[in-house]
Amino acid sequence: MFSLVWIACALAPLVAGARRPNSPPQLTQPALAFSDTRAAALTPTATAPVAYFFDQLLDHSNPSLGTFPQRFWFYEGYYKEGGPIILFNAGEVDASGYTGYLLNETITGAIAYAVGGANIVLEHRYWGASVPFANYSTANMKYLTIENNVQDYAYFAQNVQLPWASGAKSVPPPQTPWILAGGSYPGALAGYVKHTFPDLFYASYGTSGPAITDYYGYFTPVEAGAPQNCTADMKAVITHWDSIMQGGTEKEQRALMSIFGLQNVTHIQDASSALQVAPWDWQALSPAAGAGQAFFNFCDTLEVKDGVPAGPKGQGLDYALQQWGAWQIQTNIASCGNAYAGDECWGSFDANSTTYTNIDISNTYRPWMWTICTQLAFWEVGQTEGPFIVSKLVDVEYAQRQCALYFPPEDGVSVPAVVPVDQINAVFGGWDISEDHMLFVNGQFDPWRSGSVSSQLPGASNLQSTAQQPILLIETGVHCWDMITSSAQANPSHTRRFQPSNCADGGVDERVG
Ligand SMILES: *[C@@H]1O[C@H](CO)[C@@H](O)[C@H](O)[C@H]1NC(C)=O
Ligand SMILES: *[C@@H]1O[C@H](CO)[C@@H](O)[C@H](O)[C@H]1NC(C)=O
Ligand SMILES: *[C@@H]1O[C@H](CO)[C@@H](O)[C@H](O)[C@H]1NC(C)=O
Ligand SMILES: *[C@@H]1O[C@H](CO)[C@@H](O)[C@H](O)[C@H]1NC(C)=O
Ligand SMILES: *[C@@H]1O[C@H](CO)[C@@H](O)[C@H](O)[C@H]1NC(C)=O
């Protein structure tokens, strides 16, 4: 991922009620706001886009509840008569940071540029200026459901009056072909929408797959992609950590925690979760950013001693423990403003903490928690068997427990005790999702690969890449490396394999397979 939003959250000192640094990072696709200077270099006719509002149904199963304004932006600079509409959903963020997706500095603009299409950036319900209520109280979250999110696309496409300036007119889909695009969660959504409305929408571009409860698979591509020495040492440290936390005395536990500056954390599960920050940094890697990125700094800290990197077996437990500890203390300072931060930064057990009580709509992490607490789960946890890079103390129960703290029941609205992922998978296709003109794009080392049709988890999809349903696996790719043109072009295996013009007929060059 290249998301400036998430990087900013990770490094900023804790703000009241924002994402706790040991809660899972959002999936967010890379942000890119429209900029006049970049636009001028791309296309002289592009002017700062205007935000429009569409009257969206609050509840598609009960239209009598009325509408709320859903924000969108439109760009017709690449349009040629008869061309498609490319609809990009910005996902679980304020979409105003994503207006760069109108121009060909991104995949959606590049597709429009290649095929003479017009672009729409649509804001997801419940984020940015598209929040139907004054706050994110539990009762107000009720209409944030995958079903409503999916229906939003169809109702929008069939009813919106696109603000054409050029006199061009489009008719609704399917007469005009609409291509749905997104990366990460909105990429999955694009697939869900195509699966729900196979005849209404022409094609979808994105990642897709099932909802998963025990998502240790988040970390398996990290394990596969990270330098071997670093992974070997991470496993040595975590194995030692788990043996002390599960079998050691309290004194031994506190001594070990103090190496990481975590001795003030009350619950050892919260301290174990604080150690997830390092592997979480993997998702933020960008091919365009090169050396010096957080995850590489972490591995260098563990593996380079007196200027010499360790071989594939790593430096061994003792050195790795001290070095990870020193790195974690720096993280505590950066994330919490305190080298020895305690529960005020890492604690997840206090129902009165502002993490749980802040229902202000500026707290954009909250609707994402609602989404995973009610429908998608994806608990990023340790593996129950064998040595792993995340502690076994971080388990599904630990993650799921936080949902009831975030969303105490209100007016008959509450979160389920167990996320009913099977329901979602039955409705939206799960591992077997399959439609013509459905293009999957996954990164070889993307933590979200495990939740996609390119997953390597046991029991995962057997879907084969075909001309009608191509599955593109970007070698060495991490999260959403396909979305930003400069980022995609910085990865040689990507430019070799993907040409936006091939989207014209809903397929791509078969070499991508
Ligand atoms: C983007 O558009 C410019 C012209 O405005 C063109 O020169 C460039 O090749 C395009 N790039 C892509 C990736 O479509
Ligand atoms: C949240 O918004 C609802 C209206 O949607 C309002 O009744 C309630 O008082 C608000 N809660 C708080 C704590 O402001
Ligand atoms: C060892 O670690 C260094 C520093 O992170 C890395 O550059 C190198 O590729 C690693 N080597 C192996 C064999 O894992
Ligand atoms: C945390 O631990 C350190 C070292 O053990 C101690 O000096 C400090 O007072 C503790 N409390 C806080 C709030 O940092
Ligand atoms: C949370 O706050 C409520 C009301 O202020 C109080 O009654 C309760 O004891 C607090 N709970 C904790 C765990 O501090």
Side-chain angles (χ1 to χ4, degrees):
M1 179 177 72
F2 181 68
S3 172
L4 304 175
V5 176
W6 186 72
I7 292 170
C9 291
L11 299 182
L14 200 65
V15 213
R19 172 184 162 266
R20 232 189 11 254
N22 58 338
S23 344
Q26 280 167 266
L27 291 65
T28 38
Q29 48 197 346
L32 193 69
F34 180 94
S35 115
D36 288 325
T37 29
R38 285 198 322 266
L42 286 171
T43 161
T45 60
T47 51
V50 176
Y52 299 93
F53 288 87
F54 171 76
D55 291 328
Q56 185 60 269
L57 292 179
L58 179 61
D59 185 359
H60 292 276
S61 63
N62 185 2
S64 70
L65 291 178
T67 63
F68 69 95
Q70 185 171 22
R71 184 162 59 164
F72 71 99
W73 294 264
F74 179 67
Y75 181 66
E76 59 186 291
Y78 303 132
Y79 184 75
K80 296 197 179 73
E81 202 183 331
I85 305 290
I86 292 107
L87 174 62
F88 169 84
N89 188 315
E92 69 280 26
V93 288
D94 179 325
S96 60
Y98 287 73
T99 47
Y101 282 82
L102 296 170
L103 298 185
N104 76 355
E105 55 195 340
T106 61
I107 182 68
T108 42
I111 293 172
Y113 179 78
V115 304
N119 288 98
I120 296 169
V121 168
L122 180 65
E123 189 162 69
H124 194 293
R125 64 163 58 207
Y126 278 78
W127 275 278
S130 304
V131 187
F133 297 101
N135 61 53
Y136 289 141
S137 68
T138 306
N140 284 345
M141 301 313 290
K142 185 173 176 183
Y143 305 105
L144 178 59
T145 63
I146 303 292
E147 290 80 356
N148 271 332
N149 308 340
V150 163
Q151 295 287 337
D152 282 351
Y153 283 75
Y155 190 76
F156 176 84
Q158 288 170 315
N159 294 288
V160 70
Q161 299 292 319
L162 290 174
W164 296 100
S166 61
K169 288 275 180 288
S170 64
V171 283
Q175 287 83 351
T176 294
W178 281 51
I179 300 173
L180 315 173
S184 209
Y185 161 64
L189 214 44
Y192 292 172
V193 175
K194 175 67 179 151
H195 181 70
T196 309
F197 300 99
D199 301 324
L200 182 63
F201 293 111
Y202 182 72
S204 66
Y205 175 105
T207 179
S208 199
I212 298 175
T213 303
D214 181 356
Y215 196 50
Y216 70 89
Y218 177 95
F219 299 103
T220 52
V222 182
E223 198 183 342
Q228 269 185 52
N229 47 16
C230 191
T231 323
D233 278 334
M234 289 174 80
K235 286 184 186 173
V237 168
I238 294 298
T239 302
H240 175 68
W241 175 276
D242 282 357
S243 77
I244 299 291
M245 294 308 159
Q246 289 175 324
T249 62
E250 199 186 334
K251 198 168 165 218
E252 287 167 335
Q253 291 171 350
R254 292 287 142 185
L256 180 55
M257 286 159 80
S258 72
I259 296 174
F260 297 85
L262 296 169
Q263 62 269 42
N264 295 326
V265 178
T266 306
H267 296 267
I268 57 177
Q269 281 185 301
D270 285 334
S272 305
S273 174
L275 302 190
Q276 288 181 285
V277 172
W280 273 330
D281 277 341
W282 177 263
Q283 182 179 313
L285 289 176
S286 153
Q293 301 182 73
F295 188 86
F296 293 140
N297 282 342
F298 169 74
C299 286
D300 289 351
T301 305
L302 265 62
E303 300 309 325
V304 183
K305 190 178 186 176
D306 303 327
V308 183
K313 289 189 175 145
Q315 297 284 8
L317 176 63
D318 291 344
Y319 188 74
L321 196 56
Q322 296 310 318
Q323 294 301 101
W324 190 340
W327 186 90
Q328 182 69 37
I329 286 172
Q330 292 308 309
T331 297
N332 300 346
I333 295 170
S335 303
C336 315
N338 179 358
Y340 309 103
D343 293 349
E344 75 289 356
C345 186
W346 302 110
S348 68
F349 287 82
D350 178 6
N352 288 340
S353 114
T354 54
T355 305
Y356 299 130
T357 59
N358 179 356
I359 62 168
D360 194 273
I361 60 168
S362 64
N363 185 8
T364 58
Y365 191 63
R366 191 169 166 82
W368 178 245
M369 278 310 299
W370 173 264
T371 298
I372 58 178
C373 283
T374 53
Q375 295 189 289
L376 297 181
F378 284 122
W379 306 126
E380 296 165 19
V381 296
Q383 204 173 14
T384 46
E385 303 296 325
F388 200 47
I389 60 174
V390 169
S391 167
K392 293 182 185 14
L393 277 78
V394 181
D395 58 14
V396 168
E397 192 279 330
Y398 169 77
Q400 172 89 57
R401 166 196 55 90
Q402 299 176 44
C403 292
L405 301 176
Y406 270 102
F407 303 104
E410 188 185 25
D411 298 346
V413 182
S414 63
V415 289
V418 173
V419 186
V421 292
D422 292 348
Q423 280 175 24
I424 285 292
N425 295 337
V427 175
F428 296 112
W431 291 124
D432 304 319
I433 191 164
S434 181
E435 300 298 336
D436 284 353
H437 297 181
M438 189 180 256
L439 167 59
F440 299 106
V441 188
N442 298 309
Q444 183 183 8
F445 299 126
D446 185 350
W448 295 97
R449 173 185 179 174
S450 301
S452 78
V453 296
S454 302
S455 177
Q456 297 174 306
L457 293 182
S461 176
N462 286 320
L463 217 57
Q464 299 301 312
S465 181
T466 65
Q468 287 302 300
Q469 190 182 42
I471 303 174
L472 166 59
L473 188 68
I474 300 174
E475 281 167 45
T476 73
V478 184
H479 194 55
C480 290
W481 281 17
D482 52 322
M483 302 305 287
I484 304 281
T485 307
S486 59
S487 168
Q489 287 171 346
N491 180 7
S493 68
H494 184 273
T495 36
R496 196 170 64 240
R497 286 165 166 266
F498 180 69
Q499 297 298 326
S501 56
N502 293 326
C503 277
D505 54 11
V508 291
D509 185 331
E510 258 313 276
R511 284 172 305 158
V512 303

